[in-house]
Amino acid sequence: MSGPTKYLLVSLPTSIAQSGHPDEALTALRSTVSTDYGTVYPFPIPNFKIGTLDALVQQADELAKLESASEGVVSKVGDSLWNLLEGDESKISQQKTVNAKPVDQYLRTFSWNRVKYRADKPIGELIDSLQKEIASIDNDIKGKYNQYNQVKTNLTALERRQTGNLATKSLTPIVDPSIMIQDSEYLETHLVAVPNPQVKSFLKSYETLVPMVVPRSSTQITSDGEFTLFAVTTFKKHGQEFVHKCREMKWTPRDYKVKEGGREEEQRDLDRVKRDERKIWGEALRLGGTGWGESVMVWIHVFALRVFVETVLRYGLPLEFTCGLVKTTPKLAKKAKYSLDAAYSYLGGNAFGRDKKGRVTTKDDSAMSQEMAAAGHVGDGGEYSAYVFYEFDIN
């Protein structure tokens, strides 16, 4: 099945098969969907400890929220991987595995992880455990990715200081310290980056910008395609005013301090931050790949619990049901849903009717819809389904 994939989770009572056997019920589900609309795989769900009806209704609400939160974490981790690998889909797909399996294989061969989530625990404890795990994954990924973004920002700033124009780049490798007046009680040197089209205007007017600019003190140090860098000497008492006037003229005063060994120190800083960036990038990538797989695992286990709880609420006890995973496409998913509705609408009782052509229709009864929503029987899209049904995709 080429193109984007859509998955449907369907839980039905075993009474849909004449024998009432789960395997035959799954076969009936396969026949209903048919290979024209998708492929059905068994999706085994353990029989969990069932509490009171009130507890189940509350857990259905908690699971709906947790499922949405888990999907959000999967999406955020996926975005982090996309950014780390600069949108390279081939490399991204290599990172997106669950238990060292491609996600599709994991779903097709799903089994409840009884080591991490013991099925003999109460449903409330399992929900609490899954909530803590998805929150921990989210915090770990967010923390590491923020750390990477910070060091990347630092590296970009350092590289910009090495490669930018004269208005932004570091002047340490450019300016000869002998140009700067040092240890003078009255005089100081200012460095100004002037846009090339304004050089003539600068040379005509710099001496009169403020009082006590040393005449003919401007010295051209260097130029690039955008700016020319000048050194100008002023008396200290008017230094700040000179800087302010330069900014008003759209010239860029540059801060520069003579520092012995400054060039070597800047290069060492750049090399160190480059090493840090590659190190943290690798850590973020490894954590992102692991976190994506773990968050998908949590998400699907939440789905399994959600299906189980709603199955109990829908079909009651004794609990006899079969659950199948339908692999399809967004376009065929609608046709598969229509086939399911046609075959199993009777499970919804009075919620469904048929039009004059015999097609299944949902009755427009707002009171019924509100009642079904309160009982947890309305799907994520707000549409009532006669049976337990969820759809999702994993990108």
Side-chain angles (χ1 to χ4, degrees):
M1 188 178 297
S2 59
T5 301
K6 174 80 76 175
Y7 296 100
L8 315 178
L9 268 177
V10 183
S11 173
L12 296 163
T14 56
S15 60
I16 63 169
Q18 191 171 2
S19 67
H21 193 278
D23 290 343
E24 290 195 17
L26 187 66
T27 299
L29 174 58
R30 285 194 175 105
S31 299
T32 300
V33 173
S34 84
T35 54
D36 292 336
Y37 301 147
T39 306
V40 179
Y41 301 95
F43 193 85
I45 299 176
N47 283 321
F48 299 102
K49 284 185 175 181
I50 300 170
T52 64
L53 178 61
D54 286 346
L56 284 171
V57 172
Q58 181 181 346
Q59 288 160 358
D61 182 56
E62 291 174 355
L63 285 164
K65 294 175 182 176
L66 180 55
E67 187 267 311
S68 177
S70 300
E71 181 183 9
V73 173
V74 171
S75 178
K76 283 190 286 186
V77 178
D79 289 343
S80 296
L81 287 172
W82 193 92
N83 289 325
L84 287 168
L85 294 170
E86 299 177 337
D88 189 323
E89 293 294 345
S90 175
K91 292 180 179 178
I92 293 169
S93 64
Q94 293 174 17
Q95 297 295 325
K96 289 186 171 181
T97 61
V98 187
N99 282 350
K101 300 176 183 177
V103 65
D104 181 66
Q105 183 184 348
Y106 171 75
L107 291 170
R108 289 186 286 106
T109 59
F110 174 79
S111 64
W112 184 268
N113 190 330
R114 295 174 184 270
V115 176
K116 287 187 78 172
Y117 317 110
R118 285 173 46 189
D120 60 347
K121 285 187 174 182
I123 291 174
E125 287 188 25
L126 291 171
I127 293 173
D128 185 57
S129 177
L130 290 163
Q131 282 175 331
K132 288 178 179 176
E133 185 172 359
I134 200 68
S136 175
I137 294 168
D138 189 26
N139 290 333
D140 288 349
I141 297 295
K142 193 183 299 181
K144 181 57 70 174
Y145 191 62
N146 286 344
Q147 183 186 6
Y148 171 70
N149 277 338
Q150 183 60 56
V151 74
K152 186 179 179 183
T153 299
N154 294 343
L155 177 60
T156 301
L158 286 173
E159 288 178 334
R160 187 165 176 259
R161 285 177 60 79
Q162 296 283 331
T163 60
N165 58 42
L166 288 169
T168 58
K169 72 191 299 182
S170 170
L171 299 181
T172 303
I174 298 170
V175 176
D176 186 339
S178 64
I179 292 175
M180 308 298 293
I181 295 176
Q182 302 179 57
D183 303 324
S184 170
E185 186 177 351
Y186 301 106
L187 300 175
E188 63 184 359
T189 306
H190 297 277
L191 300 177
V192 185
V194 179
N196 289 336
Q198 297 182 36
V199 166
K200 287 184 180 179
S201 172
F202 169 81
L203 291 173
K204 286 181 181 179
S205 59
Y206 81 91
E207 292 181 359
T208 57
L209 278 185
V210 298
M212 304 184 80
V213 175
V214 176
R216 294 189 294 277
S217 64
S218 70
T219 303
Q220 180 175 327
I221 299 173
T222 187
S223 64
D224 59 21
E226 298 177 65
F227 292 88
T228 298
L229 185 67
F230 289 94
V232 177
T233 302
T234 71
F235 278 73
K236 286 184 177 181
K237 63 182 296 184
H238 293 286
Q240 287 304 310
E241 186 183 357
F242 179 79
V243 168
H244 178 70
K245 290 290 185 179
C246 284
R247 291 198 177 102
E248 285 185 351
M249 300 295 291
K250 308 300 183 184
W251 306 331
T252 306
R254 297 298 315 275
D255 287 329
Y256 174 76
K257 301 293 182 185
V258 176
K259 186 175 182 181
E260 188 175 347
R263 298 184 188 187
E264 294 78 7
E265 184 178 335
E266 281 193 358
Q267 188 60 48
R268 284 196 299 271
D269 287 344
L270 180 61
D271 292 343
R272 175 181 56 78
V273 175
K274 278 184 177 179
R275 289 194 300 272
D276 288 347
E277 190 268 345
R278 294 317 298 167
K279 176 176 176 288
I280 297 172
W281 178 87
E283 293 172 355
L285 183 62
R286 285 191 294 275
L287 191 60
T290 303
W292 191 86
E294 290 178 348
S295 58
V296 168
M297 192 188 308
V298 170
W299 187 23
I300 301 306
H301 278 74
V302 171
F303 260 131
L305 265 181
R306 201 176 176 194
V307 167
F308 177 84
V309 169
E310 188 173 347
T311 296
V312 178
L313 291 172
R314 291 270 192 153
Y315 310 138
L317 299 173
L319 196 57
E320 296 175 347
F321 73 102
T322 189
C323 184
L325 175 79
V326 183
K327 180 184 178 183
T328 182
T329 67
K331 184 177 180 180
L332 293 177
K334 297 178 182 178
K335 296 181 178 179
K337 181 68 165 63
Y338 184 83
S339 294
L340 290 164
D341 286 345
Y344 305 120
S345 63
Y346 68 88
L347 295 171
N350 293 329
F352 281 77
R354 291 184 183 270
D355 62 18
K356 292 180 180 180
K357 295 183 179 180
R359 294 174 298 192
V360 177
T361 59
T362 305
K363 292 185 178 179
D364 185 14
D365 185 336
S366 59
M368 181 205 71
S369 297
Q370 290 173 8
E371 184 180 337
M372 292 296 151
H377 298 337
V378 175
D380 295 333
E383 182 180 338
Y384 173 74
S385 179
Y387 44 89
V388 179
F389 174 88
Y390 295 105
E391 57 183 342
F392 63 96
D393 50 59
I394 302 179
N395 298 317

